[in-house]
Amino acid sequence: MDTTNITNGIGKSQERREDFRFLTGAGSYIDDMNLDGQAYATVLRSPEAHADVSSIDITEALALDGVLAIITGEDWKVAGYNPIPTKSAVRKAIDGSDLKEPPHHPLAIDRVRYVGQPVALVVAESIDVCKDAMELIDVDYDSLPSVSHQSEAIKDGAPQIWDIAPNNICLDFELGDQKAQKKAFSEADHIVTLNLVNNRVTAVPIEPRGALASYDAGTGKYTLWNASQNIHAGRDTIADAVLGIGKENLHHIAPDVGGGFGVKNGVYPEPILILHATKLLERPVKWFNDRSESFLSDTHGRDQVSTVQLALDKDGTFRGLRTETVGNLGAFCATVGPFTPTGGSSRTQGGPYRFDAIYYTAIAPFTNTCPLDPYRGAGRPEGSYQMDRIIDYAAAQLGMDPIELRRKNLIPTEDLPMKSPMGLDIDCGNFPEVFEQTIAMSDRDGYDARVQKSAAAGKKRGFGISMYLECTGGGPKEEAKVSFREDGKIDLSVGSSSTGMGHETAFAQILAGHLGLEIDDVVFRQADTEATAIGGGHGGSRGLEVGGSAVLQTSREIVEAGKKIAAHKFDVDADKVEFSEGHFHVPGSNHTMTMREAIDAQNDPDMLPDDMEPGALNISSVFERGIISIPNGGHAVEVEVDPETGTIKVDGYWVMDDFGTIINPMLADGQVMGGVAQGLGQALMENIVYDDGGQLVTGSLMDYAMPRADDMPRMVIGYYEDAPTAKNLLGVKGAGEAGCVGAPPAIVNAVCDALKDFGVHHIDMPLTPERVWRAIEDAKAS
Amino acid sequence: MPLITVHVNGVETTKEVEPRTLLSTFIREELKLTGTHVGCDTSQCGACVVSIDGKTIKSCASFAWQFDGAKIQTIEGLANGTELHPMQEAFRTHHGLQCGFCTPGMVMTAVALVENNPDISENGIREGLEGNICRCTGYQNIIDAVKTGAKAMRG
Amino acid sequence: MYEFDIITPNSIDAAKSEFDAAEDGQFLAGGQTLIPVLKQRLAMPSDLIDLEHVHGLSGISASGDTISIKAMTRHTEVAADHEVQAAIPALSKLANGIGDMHVRNRGTIGGSIANNDPAADYPAAVLALHATIVTDRREILADHFFTGMFETALEEGELITEIHFPIPEAASYMKFANPATRYALVGVMVAKSHNNVRVAITGAGPCVFRDAEMEQALMGNFSPESIKDGMIPADDLNTDIHASREYRAHLISVMVRRAVAEAVG
């Protein structure tokens, strides 16, 4: 991989340029935006989990002063729009048949299938009028039996949610070599089995979802500002696939977005509904969810029930791995939906450990709950959790040391590059070294003394470790467009989407660093269908890998073009010109020209060679990633458990990550720490709960516990940079999701270690104090 | 409709408000100060925190009319033109924000914590921030920012 | 939320007469409970009678063997008051643990007690410390005040003006918080005065309650060992996704032991 000229600016903890406006309250988030004459929209949501809608009476509501329009499922049916398609990359069941994709319309037509499903859109002069109107809408629901839990949904006799999906199964899936796995199992000395739950969670970005739509009757064009992370693909789906208005007629833009974590990637009903409304009323229409609606309608994450089996020899060598998962799609296939428990959860099975064979199967069922879609990690946290939990569980069952077991089985560097049994292209890495460095960071020498200190206070201390293998994803292509303004500023437009990750800074760092220009001169634009022709948005930790590479590629093309201008000035052949430290020069001569001078020259025909047009340095380039990169690393955790109450304090946290080249260490740290917090939240306190009647029990922050400052340990983070990848121009491996992939198993491992004297070897997440207490009591009793 | 006079970031304003208008709505929609954010509907996330006469409150759990005559400081009132308040500067240097949505409430809370207790400890900071949820940062850089901000504020 | 009118009386008499005159009036104290309720459209008062400007309804005083806290005193003020810290540090600790800093700057003791949320902290203190609730028309002993879930002995329109807390020999408040709301899943105050011990438990049941068996045991021997498991039957306790009744029963024992240990040492 050619890393020439990328050293400037790389590796510097550059302070963020976007911070000034965020710190002074000058950010422009969707609810901060208002257009003259705008109307407000709210969504009437189903209170039933599964019911026929026998009638909707909007007469009284429509008559209310200030109500402008009410759109129901009947209206939507008449309008004849297409349903929202799923973009799942996995589309076939094991027998080769297509996945069962029920029609997903933005409004319920005739039947509701989850609590929170949109039933009507109300548009009025104010939110208060909308709310008054919603109370006057009379919906007649005929309740049907419903099913909330995936294991119940696939049983014979369960309520059927979709006629096209018998046993409520959307598709089933397999990956790996079953024959080889069975052989490995038959030859192994031990087979250890563990049933695991990966609990259902929700992203809770502090900014709920919202959008603002306007329509220009003169041009027939729509504009949609949307707190979304997937602007270009979203535009295509909404404009072409669903509304049929033509994608050239929809300008889709993301303003500042207050966090996403994947949950703002998908195509949701509400922005589509307000586009319809804005055309109907010829007034801008604004919608903004409140937090309760977020809990009901933001796609949920994870929610898998699995059986994992590890086959190993008596000397600890891993032979085979078998994982069976029942996922959960909710009531519809969401935008990525079926991919998460199938392709998404299978790719990294086995982690960084050596296996003869792995076989993975999954079922993706529908339930009468909110649809599920990727949430930070999107299948890899599930895989990592299965792998690192069963290692510790097996160690406990067989009287082996979990650290030694890992040492013995981590893929040695000399085996790389290799294809994993799941077909994952692991190009580079040094798992054994990263593992040792993780352990070395965690002060094992002082551990025994800390154990004594905890014991003296009546507490149990435990240590846990995980070695995660990540893989990136998201759209493989990205466009970066640069143009140089007369005022000296540099317009940089990228089609990716940052919702706090700092692209505005990191991408500017790459561009300015490579060209030898001032980072403060870069004016950044992202997530706007009129700024770049294509855009891969956000997802799969692709920001630097694909977006950053696109910026670097464009920068290099600018340099190549600049060399021609310099060569023209120097009157030499272009291949004699070199570029470094912001200067074009010819070695062995005193010809020199700065990048700035080349930029100033680019619009003057006299300064350009014959084959160059003015503006030749204003370049747009598309980078396409070949294959995904493989971030990896170790998490080490110490916990202190109070056996009397079951309370867990996470008391030590160390991470060693291999993210390849680190562009901005400060930003990388931020991603890891945020990810660890989400992983800790899932492991210890977060849980989306539906009751048996399909009612969302955890519908607000009163019931959904989120980590606060006093829940978090101090985290120590290190980077292993000796294995940069050749798969992209920067050598980076996507960092954004790794934190929440490695955290849950390491934390649960630590707790089980703390409680091993009680005979507790597994507790399902979230490890609430009560669950811990009960596990101890149950173990004492048996 | 009650008529209220408030002093917001040093500027006096008199406006009519409905009894049911929340202070957060008043600040955002009447005064057009959109730096104060609304992140939840059960008064738990802290994104809406502002300072009244030096004490932080959740503006979403208060009515505008309750603060007739009060001195209100929002995030927009913290910096001095382009010169950031030491706490804002500390958040920037320590990367104490990512998406920025919880940040206004977080910074207003941090300033109040330090003003009430200039020698605040790390534990004190963690506990003091229990009414402010951040989903992006994992809090560590925020804690470090508050420590640095405190030092600068102590002068 | 629904519309309503506001009234801002300056005296208790005015507050009372405004309340009587209103179609469906509600007193507004700190608003930290009422305003979220109104936002959810769970209540529809015609008038809110704001107590903020009623003279003489705020303040803390100590006299001899009593700490008196006026109804509109904010939690922050109770937590920071030197006299409370010196005389009843458990009360100061309790106030400092309510909600978060922003809530404490607005929430009031009168509002909390009048509301009697099953998971609120103050009811445990009022009950354990054998406080007297003074209203605009009478005095009510703590033992007679809390009558059920969100129910008190207050009559329609009756206004709490002050709470008198007898200063105990020793007291401690131990709280096991709900991780989401930070309300009490189980909150226990133990107070010892002369040879009398009172144990009040909030969060665990539909209403704050005392436990006679624990009190007896502690009067015999004021030490953690006096509290045995199973003293509190789980049957009548609250159960929800955050804590089952069996777990709450267990936590009560643990928290009482810890409160006694703190009160002693």
Side-chain angles (χ1 to χ4, degrees), chain B residues 20 41 56 58 60 109 132, chain C residues 1 39-40 100 102 105 180:
Chain B
R20 62 181 171 171
D41 47 14
T56 54
K58 291 172 176 168
C60 77
T109 303
N132 295 73
Chain C
M1 64 185 84
K39 283 165 73 173
Q40 304 289 347
D100 55 57
H102 323 301
N105 283 336

Side-chain angles (χ1 to χ4, degrees), chain C residues 13-61:
Chain C
D13 284 338
K16 284 168 65 178
S17 61
E18 294 288 4
F19 182 91
D20 292 336
E23 195 188 316
D24 189 8
Q26 191 136 13
F27 290 119
L28 174 66
Q32 299 305 283
T33 297
L34 182 56
I35 296 176
V37 162
L38 294 174
K39 283 165 73 173
Q40 304 289 347
R41 294 194 162 202
L42 293 173
M44 232 175 130
S46 61
D47 298 82
L48 285 191
I49 295 126
D50 180 27
L51 299 174
E52 178 107 23
H53 302 285
V54 172
H55 290 310
L57 218 43
S58 178
I60 302 170
S61 60

Side-chain angles (χ1 to χ4, degrees), chain C residues 148-163:
Chain C
M149 188 187 284
F150 292 105
E151 278 173 23
T152 67
L154 292 173
E155 289 162 1
E156 179 100 344
E158 187 173 1
L159 204 53
I160 301 176
T161 56
E162 196 165 12
I163 300 110

Side-chain angles (χ1 to χ4, degrees), chain A residues 86-242:
Chain A
T86 181
K87 300 294 192 184
S88 170
V90 171
R91 307 197 72 92
K92 300 265 187 218
I94 294 175
D95 66 3
S97 62
D98 291 329
L99 63 75
K100 310 284 193 285
E101 184 178 356
H104 187 190
H105 289 286
L107 286 175
I109 298 179
D110 298 334
R111 185 176 281 196
V112 292
R113 291 177 168 84
Y114 67 98
V115 169
Q117 182 174 2
V119 169
L121 185 82
V122 176
V123 191
E125 297 290 356
S126 74
I127 301 277
D128 278 321
V129 174
C130 283
K131 288 189 175 177
D132 291 340
M134 292 206 295
E135 283 180 15
L136 297 173
I137 298 177
D138 194 6
V139 186
D140 228 327
Y141 293 103
D142 289 329
S143 297
L144 298 165
S146 69
V147 59
S148 312
H149 304 289
Q150 63 266 68
S151 310
E152 293 303 312
I154 58 177
K155 286 184 181 161
D156 288 336
Q160 289 303 286
I161 303 172
W162 294 105
D163 289 336
I164 60 167
N167 288 99
N168 293 315
I169 295 175
C170 173
L171 82 167
D172 60 7
F173 175 85
E174 66 174 356
L175 188 66
D177 186 337
Q178 183 177 34
K179 199 156 154 226
Q181 173 259 313
K182 284 186 162 159
K183 179 165 184 286
F185 270 52
S186 67
E187 291 167 359
D189 295 322
H190 302 290
I191 295 172
V192 179
T193 304
L194 180 61
N195 294 325
L196 287 176
V197 170
N198 203 293
N199 46 326
R200 185 174 182 134
V201 292
T202 185
V204 196
I206 304 300
E207 181 205 31
R209 292 182 301 113
L212 173 55
S214 77
Y215 177 67
D216 182 338
T219 59
K221 287 201 194 302
Y222 298 76
T223 308
L224 180 69
W225 288 270
N226 194 355
S228 162
Q229 298 171 269
N230 205 358
I231 289 299
H232 287 74
R235 183 264 323 258
D236 295 349
T237 300
I238 294 171
D240 281 343
V242 179

Side-chain angles (χ1 to χ4, degrees), chain A residues 634-656:
Chain A
H635 286 225
V637 182
E638 269 183 36
V639 300
E640 196 185 55
V641 183
D642 178 351
E644 275 197 317
T645 60
T647 319
I648 298 167
K649 178 163 177 268
V650 180
D651 202 35
Y653 209 102
W654 302 269
V655 187
M656 176 58 66

Side-chain angles (χ1 to χ4, degrees), chain A residues 15-16 19-20 22-25 27 29 31-32 128 202-208 257-259 261 288 290-293 375-376 499-500 666-667 670-671 673-675 677-678 686 700-702 704 706-710 712-716, chain B residues 18 20 28 34-35 37-42 44-45 47 75-76 79 81-84 88-89 91-95 97-104 107 122 125-127 129-141 143-144 147:
Chain A
E15 277 174 21
R16 295 193 340 164
D19 284 359
F20 187 85
F22 290 158
L23 285 165
T24 56
Y29 301 89
D31 196 42
D32 302 338
D128 278 321
T202 185
V204 196
I206 304 300
E207 181 205 31
V257 178
F261 315 109
F288 187 59
D290 64 27
R291 180 56 57 190
S292 318
E293 291 182 282
Y375 163 54
R376 202 171 195 169
T499 55
M666 191 178 72
L667 297 187
Q671 291 306 299
M673 292 191 287
Q678 286 178 314
E686 295 182 42
S700 77
L701 292 172
M702 302 279 281
Y704 191 84
M706 296 271 290
R708 316 272 176 130
D710 54 8
M712 290 302 298
R714 203 141 257 283
M715 296 165 276
V716 178
Chain B
E18 276 191 64
R20 62 181 171 171
R28 287 177 55 77
T34 57
H37 298 145
V38 175
C40 80
D41 47 14
T42 48
Q44 287 170 284
C45 75
I75 188 71
E76 290 92 340
T82 52
E83 196 188 312
L84 293 178
Q88 289 168 310
E89 194 55 60
F91 268 71
R92 177 158 69 177
T93 5
H94 285 278
H95 188 36
L97 64 149
Q98 291 183 23
C99 81
F101 201 77
C102 77
T103 304
V107 171
E122 171 156 339
I125 297 170
R126 286 186 188 270
E127 278 171 26
L129 293 178
E130 64 185 336
N132 295 73
I133 306 180
C134 172
R135 196 48 154 168
C136 293
T137 65
Y139 302 100
Q140 184 153 311
N141 286 346
I143 311 292
D144 292 342
K147 285 184 187 167

